[in-house]
């Protein structure tokens, strides 16, 4: 088991956001967390990457306990969080954004190699490498955010709503890329509202509702499940 | 369309008339004439300037009104008649308003009524000057005439320059050829060659070595102050410009540096008389540590807590220094006297020239450090935190430690400025460390262009050097400050020398907008 989350309890002040979330992820898997707005999906990712602290429960990554580790050290363990809303550094160029992704690495030559491979994966970014991040289109910004995550050499990539606000064609492209990243050996924990797409590429998935996991199964199982279809897939 | 030219002219005239009237009421007409005199090399700081300069000042105002009116009424086809109508009407209306004001105050003067009870700047001399040393009626009519004629003439001239092909193409040819020369390969080879750059820096170095010796104690004092404010500005720029954390009570660190140094070297109240360089180091260190201690409890919070806490800290420091309670330790409200100057190999260097050199060296060192920091990994981390702290943390930056480092480096630089300040004045007291110092430093960083090192130099010069050069305008310092800020916000909202990124973003934005279908 690569990642093990056990009975996570997270509060925003008095608001009880996660009420005992438990799940796991095996090496090489794509695991999806789906659910409506406010279900607590992003909160789970922020807690794993250390941006939030759980009041109770534990996060274990490759046998090491994460919930007391500061975020900058979690990044160094290979758990990379790509926050939601295409969060890039708007006033840095594409190249500078990618360099920030490799902040934890020092080897200049390796960084340049990594950047070339990101550019290979995202040719659009190479065309715009001297443009400021804030001037890119929505899809390009999402690619940049993912590319920046890859620069850190993730063994587990936490993706928060990569499809948010993108056109259907771009969503498909982004999901192809996610699958491709996974096939090259990176495990992926994917948070999505676009349940259809997420379940299609996920090995396993969990359904989150108001801070609790209410259902789990393989991606295909959940795609067939009538209550999931009803709630998340615009059911018939 | 003649009526619209007249209309624009009248409106412009009203604005300029009111401006001239207000200038007169606050006594700025005398100052303005004095400044014109200064341009011609006639200094008359404390006397009423000669009439000629006042007339030139009024002609300039009229010309400004005329050109503005002509430009505002500009339509196709551009005719001389329109321009003249607009210019003359603008000049006439502003002249009329000025004449009425002048006539009223001239009559009051003639009847021995002193308006200074209500308008302290309207002296009989300034009224007399405003009326061109004539009787109220003649003087008002002359004002009207001067403004009307200069407005019309300037509008006509601007029309001529705008439309006359010879002038137009001539001007264009000149700018073209200048541009060509600047961009030509020969010039590029010269400016890009390392020798040219060495030559330029040699020249700068020579000036820095020669000027303090030749231009006298007064200018050494003025530019010494500018230098100290450059150090303060570069320091504040680290935490506020780069790391994006607003610090309002920056003067607190300045005070810590100045007082640490003062108490270690002055005979009273502790009689320590420590070595200058050792005390300098300790002053810088103490300021840096105070920054660290202030940052420890609050820098893991986001938002404006740092601004508020430092503001409070600055006031606490000042009030403690001023209180009788601390007199035994900090010499209380009367301040610390006989602070040591620099010594080297047993010789003491305390002349104004020596201090100027010391400040220049300190500015160079701090500038070098600032440039190194800007391009370092730490500098990038600060900028990332400034742009988006969440993402910065998600990329592995220790935001707390980075901000803490930025704050203590900022504080240390303020401490260095404080040491130099105290040592140069051989005195420091609580009033040297009022909140106004912080406000000035924030202003100079913003005016110069936040986040930009050359901008700090320009800002320090504009806020601390210019007011000394334009001594005549002393009473109007706040007025000029206000006008400067308004003009800046309209024309250069990112400061006079903005950091390169925002500019880049603007052009990139337009080009990407064009590129999108």
């Amino acid at each position: 088991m690569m990642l093990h989350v056990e009975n996570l309890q997270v509060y925003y002040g008095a608001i009880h956001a996660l009420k005992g979330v438990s799940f796991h992820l095996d090496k090489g898997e794509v695991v999806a967390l789906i659910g409506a707005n406010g279900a607590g999906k992003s909160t789970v990712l922020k807690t794993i990457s250390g941006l939030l602290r759980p009041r109770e429960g534990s996060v274990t990554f490759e046998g090491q306990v994460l919930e007391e580790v500061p975020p900058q050290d979690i990044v160094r363990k290979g758990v990379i969080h790509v926050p939601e809303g295409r969060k890039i550094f708007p006033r840095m160029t594409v190249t500078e954004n990618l360099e920030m992704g490799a902040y934890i690495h020092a080897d200049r030559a390796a960084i340049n190699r990594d950047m070339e491979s990101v550019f290979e994966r995202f040719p659009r970014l190479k065309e715009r490498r001297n443009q400021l991040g804030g001037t890119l289109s929505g899809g390009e910004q999402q690619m940049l955010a993912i590319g920046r995550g890859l620069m850190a050499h993730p063994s587990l990539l936490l993706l928060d709503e990569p499809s948010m606000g993108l056109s259907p064609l771009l969503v498909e492209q982004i999901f192809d890329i996610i699958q491709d990243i996974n096939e090259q050996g990176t495990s992926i924990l994917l948070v999505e509202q676009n349940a259809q797409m997420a379940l299609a590429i996920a090995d396993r998935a969990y359904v989150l509702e108001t801070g609790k996991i209410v259902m789990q199964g393989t991606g295909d199982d959940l795609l067939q499940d009538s209550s999931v279809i009803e709630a998340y897939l615009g059911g018939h | 369309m003649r009526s619209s030219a007249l209309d624009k002219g009248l409106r412009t005239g009203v604005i300029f008339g009111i401006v001239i009237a207000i200038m007169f009421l606050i006594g700025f007409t005398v100052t303005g004439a004095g400044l014109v005199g200064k341009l011609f090399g006639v200094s008359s700081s404390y006397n009423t300037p000669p009439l000629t300069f006042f007339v030139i000042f009024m002609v300039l105002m009229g010309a400004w009104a005329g050109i503005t009116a002509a430009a505002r009424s500009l339509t196709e086809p551009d005719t001389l008649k329109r321009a003249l109508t607009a210019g003359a009407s603008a000049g006439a209306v502003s002249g009329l308003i000025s004449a009425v004001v002048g006539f009223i105050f001239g009559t009051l003067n003639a009847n021995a009524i002193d308006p200074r009870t209500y308008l302290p700047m309207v002296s009989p001399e300034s009224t007399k000057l405003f009326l061109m040393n004539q009787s109220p009626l003649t003087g008002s009519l002359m004002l009207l005439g001067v403004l009307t004629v200069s407005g019309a003439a300037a509008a006509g001239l601007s029309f001529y320059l705008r439309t006359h092909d010879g002038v137009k193409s001539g001007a264009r040819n000149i700018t073209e050829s200048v541009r060509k020369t600047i961009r030509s390969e020969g010039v590029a080879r010269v400016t890009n060659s390392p020798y040219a750059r060495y030559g330029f820096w040699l020249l700068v170095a020579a000036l820095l070595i020669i000027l303090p010796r030749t231009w006298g104690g007064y200018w050494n004092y003025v530019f010494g102050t500018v230098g100290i404010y450059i150090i303060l500005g570069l320091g504040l720029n680290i935490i506020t410009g780069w790391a994006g954390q607003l610090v309002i009570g920056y003067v607190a660190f300045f005070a810590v540096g100045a007082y640490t140094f003062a108490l270690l070297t002055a005979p009273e109240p502790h009689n320590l008389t420590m070595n200058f360089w050792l005390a300098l180091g300790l002053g810088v260190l103490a300021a840096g540590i105070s920054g660290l201690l202030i940052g420890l409890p609050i820098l893991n919070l986001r938002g404006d807590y740092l601004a508020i806490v430092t503001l409070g800290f600055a006031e606490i420091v000042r009030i403690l220094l001023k209180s009788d309670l601390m007199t035994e330790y900090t010499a209380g409200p009367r301040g610390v006297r006989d602070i040591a100057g620099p010594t080297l190999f047993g010789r003491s260097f305390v002349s104004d020239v020596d201090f100027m050199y010391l400040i220049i060296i300190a500015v160079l060192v701090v500038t070098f450090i600032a440039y190194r920091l800007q391009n370092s990994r730490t500098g990038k981390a600060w900028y990332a935190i400034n742009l988006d702290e969440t993402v910065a943390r998600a990329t592995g930056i220790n935001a707390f430690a980075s901000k803490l480092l930025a704050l203590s480096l900022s504080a240390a630089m303020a401490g260095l400025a404080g040491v130099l300040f105290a040592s140069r004045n051989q005195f420091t007291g609580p009033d040297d460390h009022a909140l106004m110092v912080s406000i000035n430093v924030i202003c100079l960083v913003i005016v110069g262009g936040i986040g930009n090192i050359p901008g700090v130099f320009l800002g320090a010069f504009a806020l601390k050097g210019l007011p000394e050069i334009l001594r005549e305008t002393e009473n109007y310092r706040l007025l000029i400050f206000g006008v400067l800020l308004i003009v800046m916000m309209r024309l250069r909202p990112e400061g006079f020398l903005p950091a390169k990124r925002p500019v880049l973003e603007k052009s990139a934005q337009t080009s990407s907008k064009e590129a999108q279908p």
Side-chain angles (χ1 to χ4, degrees):
Chain A
M1 226 180 286
M2 188 179 213
L3 178 77
H4 187 79
V5 173
E6 185 69 47
N7 186 33
L8 220 48
Q9 308 264 0
V10 178
Y11 291 76
Y12 289 108
I15 297 163
H16 199 172
L18 295 185
K19 303 163 183 166
V21 170
S22 307
F23 66 92
H24 73 276
L25 179 146
D26 289 322
K27 202 168 173 59
E29 267 190 318
V30 176
V31 170
L33 284 180
I34 60 172
N37 272 338
K41 308 185 297 292
S42 300
T43 310
V44 172
L45 292 197
K46 283 184 191 160
T47 313
I48 296 172
S49 66
L51 296 176
L52 289 174
R53 292 282 169 225
R55 195 171 289 184
E56 264 177 60
S58 70
V59 179
T60 320
F61 176 73
E62 294 191 323
Q64 296 161 296
V65 174
L66 286 192
E67 73 264 10
E68 299 283 318
V69 180
Q72 66 269 15
D73 294 336
I74 292 179
V75 169
R76 286 177 172 80
K77 291 182 193 298
V79 180
I80 308 299
H81 184 183
V82 179
E84 86 182 301
R86 307 193 281 263
K87 287 233 178 174
I88 46 138
F89 296 115
R91 287 188 169 191
M92 289 187 186
T93 63
V94 168
T95 315
E96 285 172 318
N97 263 284
L98 293 176
E99 275 171 0
M100 286 316 297
Y103 183 77
I104 53 169
H105 300 303
D107 183 357
R108 200 57 244 182
I111 291 173
N112 287 339
R113 267 201 310 279
D114 292 344
M115 199 171 301
E116 275 314 308
S117 76
V118 168
F119 282 149
E120 223 164 274
R121 197 186 288 282
F122 303 106
R124 287 291 279 177
L125 294 184
K126 187 168 191 176
E127 284 168 33
R128 307 198 169 231
R129 61 170 171 254
N130 291 323
Q131 212 168 308
L132 291 187
T135 65
L136 300 182
S137 74
E140 290 161 354
Q141 290 189 7
Q142 187 60 61
M143 291 175 191
L144 181 55
I146 295 175
R148 191 190 57 214
L150 292 177
M151 291 295 290
H153 294 188
S155 50
L156 171 60
L157 196 59
L158 312 175
L159 291 175
D160 200 345
E161 303 245 10
S163 76
M164 192 198 244
L166 299 186
S167 70
L169 203 68
L170 270 173
V171 171
E172 210 142 322
Q173 221 179 323
I174 293 277
F175 275 87
D176 284 345
I177 289 165
I178 294 171
Q179 250 179 326
D180 191 48
I181 293 170
N182 176 247
E183 273 158 24
Q184 293 182 7
T186 306
S187 314
I188 287 170
L189 179 57
L190 175 67
V191 152
E192 260 300 341
Q193 287 206 48
N194 188 336
Q196 181 92 51
M197 290 300 292
L199 293 177
I201 69 161
D203 298 310
R204 289 182 306 110
Y206 296 85
V207 180
L208 207 59
E209 223 167 69
T210 57
K212 283 187 201 123
I213 285 179
V214 293
M215 208 184 290
Q216 54 178 298
T218 65
D220 293 335
D221 283 350
L222 289 180
L223 267 179
Q224 312 296 327
D225 188 282
S226 59
S227 60
V228 172
I229 292 172
E230 184 109 12
Y232 302 108
L233 300 175
H236 330 281
Chain B
M1 293 307 280
R2 198 192 149 103
S3 67
S4 100
L6 192 63
D7 192 45
K8 287 269 161 50
L10 294 177
R11 282 159 191 264
T12 314
V14 169
I15 295 170
F16 275 84
I18 292 173
V19 168
I20 294 173
I22 291 176
M23 280 181 170
F24 167 66
L25 293 179
I26 63 173
F28 196 78
T29 42
V30 179
T31 313
L35 283 178
V36 173
K38 198 170 187 178
L39 276 182
F40 288 95
V42 182
S43 190
S44 58
S45 314
Y46 298 103
N47 303 322
T48 311
L51 179 63
T52 334
F53 297 138
F54 173 70
V55 175
I56 295 175
F57 183 60
M58 280 295 117
V59 167
L60 288 176
M61 287 304 293
W64 190 4
I67 291 170
T68 312
R72 287 175 73 185
S73 63
L74 190 65
T75 45
E76 290 296 328
D78 196 4
T79 63
L80 181 61
K81 206 167 157 190
R82 279 181 65 85
L84 283 181
T85 313
S89 56
V93 172
S94 63
L96 195 66
I97 295 173
S98 317
V100 169
V101 173
F103 184 74
I104 293 172
F105 282 93
T107 319
L108 286 180
N109 263 352
N111 294 323
I113 299 169
D114 195 347
R116 271 186 288 190
T117 326
Y118 306 104
L119 295 160
M121 296 308 288
V122 187
S123 64
E125 293 78 31
S126 108
T127 311
K128 206 174 149 206
L129 184 70
F130 195 60
L131 292 170
M132 308 191 181
N133 301 340
Q134 306 291 323
S135 76
L137 190 62
T138 335
S140 312
L141 289 176
M142 278 174 71
L143 259 183
L144 178 62
V146 165
L147 285 166
T148 313
V149 171
S150 57
L157 191 67
S158 75
F159 169 80
Y160 181 78
L161 291 177
R162 216 167 36 230
T163 51
H164 208 281
D165 272 347
V167 176
K168 219 172 163 183
S169 60
R172 199 186 298 135
N173 281 345
I174 291 170
T175 48
E176 268 303 296
S177 62
V178 167
R179 193 174 298 154
K180 249 183 208 158
T181 339
I182 290 173
R183 289 195 183 152
S184 72
E185 263 179 50
V187 173
R189 209 176 297 141
V190 172
T191 50
N192 287 339
S193 86
Y195 298 111
R197 249 186 300 156
Y198 294 150
F200 173 75
W201 288 116
L202 261 173
L203 186 72
V204 171
L207 281 178
L208 287 180
I209 291 170
I210 294 165
L211 278 179
R213 293 196 170 279
T214 51
W215 66 11
Y218 174 70
W219 290 111
N220 276 335
Y221 182 80
V222 170
F223 279 92
T225 310
V226 170
I228 287 171
Y229 272 84
I230 289 174
I231 298 174
L232 283 169
L234 289 173
L236 185 72
N237 191 43
I238 293 177
I239 181 76
T240 302
W242 294 338
Q245 313 295 313
L246 184 58
V247 170
I248 296 182
Y250 191 54
V251 67
F253 308 120
F254 182 70
V256 170
Y259 261 86
T260 307
F261 179 81
L263 296 174
L264 288 175
T265 59
E268 274 182 75
H270 299 302
N271 198 18
L272 284 169
T273 55
M274 191 183 269
N275 172 276
F276 174 87
W277 301 102
L278 190 59
L280 184 144
L282 286 175
V284 172
L285 193 69
I289 290 173
S290 69
L292 195 75
L293 293 178
I294 288 291
L296 269 176
I298 41 171
L299 275 178
N300 51 358
L301 302 174
R302 286 192 217 179
D304 299 325
Y305 299 103
L306 185 64
I308 297 159
V309 169
T310 54
L311 176 63
F313 179 55
E315 280 300 278
I316 291 170
V317 166
R318 190 179 62 86
I319 290 167
L320 272 183
L321 292 177
K322 212 167 182 167
S323 75
D324 293 327
L325 198 74
M326 300 280 285
T327 305
E328 211 178 305
Y329 310 104
T330 64
R334 71 195 157 82
V336 186
R337 277 167 300 177
D338 303 322
I339 299 169
T343 48
L344 207 58
F345 309 120
R347 277 185 59 198
S348 128
F349 294 87
V350 288
S351 76
D352 57 309
V353 180
D354 296 333
F355 264 108
M356 194 66 222
Y357 284 141
L358 181 66
I359 290 171
I360 288 173
I361 291 168
V363 166
L364 290 178
V365 169
V366 171
T367 309
F368 176 75
I369 295 173
Y371 267 110
R372 290 303 298 243
L373 284 171
Q374 185 177 30
N375 300 321
S376 71
R377 216 168 107 85
T378 319
K380 280 184 181 158
W382 287 332
Y383 194 52
I385 292 168
N386 184 355
L387 293 178
D388 194 321
E389 192 169 332
T390 309
V391 184
R393 292 172 72 197
T395 52
I397 292 166
N398 187 342
F400 176 64
S402 296
K403 288 195 281 185
L404 206 55
L405 179 67
L407 183 60
S408 42
L409 281 173
S410 277
M413 288 186 183
L416 175 64
V419 168
L420 294 173
F421 185 76
S423 178
R424 184 187 65 164
N425 295 358
Q426 299 182 354
F427 167 83
T428 192
D431 294 335
D432 288 342
H433 309 291
L435 197 62
M436 203 55 204
V437 177
S438 309
I439 309 262
N440 270 327
V441 179
I442 294 175
C443 276
L444 80 86
V445 170
I446 292 175
V447 166
I450 196 155
N452 193 21
I453 294 172
V456 169
F457 279 72
L458 186 72
F461 178 74
L463 263 67
K464 285 284 144 187
L466 270 189
E468 293 297 332
I469 295 171
L470 303 173
R471 266 229 106 99
E472 285 85 351
T473 60
E474 214 178 4
N475 296 329
Y476 307 98
R477 197 170 286 184
L478 288 175
L479 179 83
I480 292 174
F481 253 34
V483 171
L484 185 74
L485 278 181
I486 293 171
V487 168
M488 201 193 84
M489 287 303 160
R490 294 279 313 195
L491 301 180
R492 315 238 20 181
E494 280 146 356
F496 282 112
L497 289 176
K500 270 197 190 110
R501 294 166 189 284
V503 176
L504 215 161
E505 179 178 47
K506 235 180 225 164
S507 61
Q509 227 161 27
T510 45
S511 66
S512 78
K513 257 179 207 157
E514 281 158 14
Q516 272 165 15

